[in-house]
Amino acid sequence: MEKKINFQLLSIFILASLLIVSTLAKNPLFIFGDSILDAGNNNYINTSTLVQANIRPYGITFFHFPTGRFSDGRIISDFIAEHANLPFIPPFLQPGKHHFYNGVNFASAAAGALAETNQGLVIDFHMQLQNYKKVEKLFRHKFGEVEAKKRLTSAVYLFSIGANDYLSLFLTNSSILTTYTKSEYVELVIGNITSVITEIYNTGGRKFAFLNVPKIGCVPVSRISNADGECNTEPSEYAMLHNRALFHVLEELKMKLPGFKYSFYDFYTCAQQRIDYPSKYGFKEGKTACCGTGKFRGIWSCGGTRLVKEFELCENVNDYVFWDSTHFTEKVYEQLADEMWNLHSYGSHSIKELFYLS
Ligand SMILES: *[C@@H]1O[C@H](CO)[C@@H](O)[C@H](O)[C@H]1NC(C)=O
Ligand SMILES: *[C@@H]1O[C@H](CO)[C@@H](O)[C@H](O)[C@H]1NC(C)=O
Ligand SMILES: *[C@@H]1O[C@H](CO)[C@@H](O)[C@H](O)[C@H]1NC(C)=O
């Protein structure tokens, strides 16, 4: 008798676990931002080859063909989807039949939070929001109000945005560098991010995951502007101000918006660890990129369709932290995504928790 009850309890437990797992698998992943997360949207827009990665040797490691991802292989959004038991999340603009039920990737390489950042070359952040709203409408049409809302509420919204708003000022020697103070400009960027989060919240979104801005003065393209090859301090100052303000805003939103949950990943510190101490993480080279031209291979030339056509490619990409003059290798992205999935930073949730929490 006792054995039988235990057996019944066990089956109930197994059934319950299966139910939890099957509900879990339905949490969609919506992805916004820049090249750290873009899985190929820029392949399908009228833009310049300067902001596209649909050329060899991009993609050589994992896909064995260029997909539009700015790396040798998978990027952070791919690894997060993998951890969540989701398939690769399709780019919003990818032609073909997609139901988008597992989520959509709206990110666009070179995009910033401000419409002015690389304007005309990218799907800017507000346009990404408009594209999300099209999918939201599709969900309502397909599932009805109640079920659509349930899915949008259980979804995780992943963001990497801001780095291009700052880096582009230096790459173009923008007059903004002298007309705005650093904090005034950061305030505009953060203001625009806040309004996008709030709009997604208003559609039912509750689970938000953020990467902060990396130390952009230490990417190879910034290092070459210093004669001594050291990091360029000014771009990194913007990043630090931005990161402090972003964390502050997320805490404020948590107070203000019922049910708002977030994950904050300290991309700045964790990526910099690999740059400063490559051997600790299984790399041999933290400063020079695998693919590019000149000192640190810091000239934006990988693939041969940019302004400079000649480029070098390293022998063993797994030895390198940087893939090209501004992006990391798949090996770095995998390590960082594993951390994001598991780690709680500054009292925020891990992404794993966001997926599991109801
Ligand atoms: C693409 O952009 C260029 C320059 O902005 C423009 O001249 C051209 O008409 C555009 N093509 C399409 C198909 O929209
Ligand atoms: C950047 O622009 C400023 C004026 O806005 C000019 O004084 C400076 O020389 C320029 N720097 C470079 C590297 O072109
Ligand atoms: C968003 O950025 C634009 C510039 O692109 C700026 O005019 C506007 O004030 C910003 N919005 C907020 C809420 O900060």
Side-chain angles (χ1 to χ4, degrees), residues 114-116 188 191-192:
L114 303 184
E116 291 84 352
L188 289 182
N192 277 266

